[in-house]
Amino acid sequence: MTRPSAGAAGPTLGSLGVDGLTFPEHRQDYLNLALSIAGVCGLTLTNARAVTTIRQTEAALRERTVDLERSNADLGQFAYVASHDLQEPLRTVSGFVQLLQLRYADQLDERANTYIEHAVGGAERMSRLISDLLQYSRVGNRGTTLVRASLQAAFDAATANLGGAIAASGATITADDLPDVYGDVGQLSQVLQNLMGNALKFRGEGAPTVHVGVVEHDVGWRVTVRDN
C-alpha cells in the first residue's frame, strides 16, 4: 500500500506484499494514527446503526400504539352495542318471569316459586354482568375511580353466578372473613368468578373444594384462591 504519486513525491507510508503489511522505519506512528482513525470511523458507524435501530423501534412503537388505541376504541364500541342489544331481551325475559310469578304464584307449589326466584335472580345478575362489561371496556380509555368495596359482596356475587356449576360438581366453596378493599366490586367479582370457575371446570374425579383466603399486609391484602 503506497501513497499515489501524481507527479508529487511524498513519503512512503507502507507497503502491502505477499508477506503482509510492512512499514518503513520510523513509520509506526502512521500506523497507530491510521488504526485510531479506523477505530473512530468504526465507532461512528456503530453509533449510526444504533441510532437507526432506535428510530425504527420508536416508529414501530408509535404504530403499535396507534393500533392499540384503535382496538380499544373498537372494543368500547362493541361493548356499548352488546350492552344495549343484550339488555333489551334480558329485560323481556325477566319481566315475563316476574309476571308469571305475580299471576300464578298461588297456583304454583313452593318448588316452582323457588325456580322462578332463581330465574329472576339470574336475569338480574346477567344484567349487572353486561353493565360491568361496558364499564370494563372503558377502563383502558378513561380509568376507573377506586372506592371502598366489599370483597364479601364480590365473593357472594361470584358464587351466585357459579351456582349451577357448584351444584353440578358438588363443590364446597368457603372463604375467610373477607374485608373491605379499595377497588371495583364488579371487577373483583369477575376475577373471583374466573378463578373459582377454573377450579370447578378443571378438576379430578372427586368433588372440588375451593377456598378464598386473605392475608393482611402493610400495604393492603393478599387474596388467594386455592383448590384441591
Side-chain angles (χ1 to χ4, degrees):
M1 179 175 64
T2 60
R3 180 176 179 175
S5 57
T12 299
L13 301 182
S15 62
L16 180 62
V18 294
D19 295 330
L21 182 65
T22 60
F23 286 84
E25 188 179 1
H26 307 305
R27 293 294 186 263
Q28 185 63 37
D29 290 341
Y30 288 103
L31 174 61
N32 293 337
L33 177 60
L35 292 176
S36 298
I37 295 173
V40 172
C41 292
L43 181 60
T44 302
L45 180 59
T46 300
N47 290 339
R49 289 174 176 173
V51 170
T52 300
T53 301
I54 292 174
R55 289 177 178 175
Q56 291 174 345
T57 302
E58 290 176 346
L61 288 175
R62 285 194 297 268
E63 183 177 353
R64 297 189 67 175
T65 300
V66 171
D67 292 340
L68 181 59
E69 292 175 350
R70 186 183 301 112
S71 297
N72 286 339
D74 293 341
L75 176 61
Q77 181 63 25
F78 167 78
Y80 174 80
V81 173
S83 175
H84 180 272
D85 292 347
L86 292 176
Q87 286 284 15
E88 187 60 33
L90 192 60
R91 281 191 291 265
T92 301
V93 172
S94 178
F96 275 106
V97 172
Q98 291 176 344
L99 184 61
L100 180 66
Q101 183 182 38
L102 179 64
R103 291 190 176 182
Y104 300 101
D106 56 343
Q107 302 179 31
L108 300 174
D109 57 19
E110 182 178 355
R111 177 175 295 182
N113 283 313
T114 300
Y115 290 161
I116 291 177
E117 291 176 359
H118 285 326
V120 173
E124 291 176 349
R125 288 192 298 273
M126 178 62 72
S127 179
R128 288 194 296 269
L129 286 174
I130 293 173
S131 298
D132 291 341
L133 170 65
L134 179 60
Q135 295 178 8
Y136 180 77
S137 69
R138 293 174 175 172
V139 168
N141 296 328
R142 299 187 310 175
T144 183
T145 302
L146 301 182
V147 297
R148 192 172 183 85
S150 170
L151 195 58
Q152 183 65 51
F155 171 79
D156 292 341
T159 52
N161 292 334
L162 293 171
I166 293 173
S169 62
T172 300
I173 310 292
T174 58
D176 292 343
D177 292 332
L178 301 178
D180 290 345
V181 297
Y182 282 96
D184 179 90
V185 173
Q187 293 182 12
L188 291 171
S189 175
Q190 191 76 48
V191 171
L192 292 176
Q193 180 177 332
N194 289 343
L195 294 174
M196 294 190 297
N198 287 339
L200 302 181
K201 183 177 181 180
F202 305 104
R203 64 180 190 273
E205 296 180 358
T209 300
V210 185
H211 181 76
V212 178
V214 290
V215 177
E216 187 173 9
H217 289 265
D218 294 338
V219 295
W221 297 86
R222 173 180 292 176
V223 182
T224 60
V225 178
R226 301 180 184 273
D227 65 77
N228 60 338

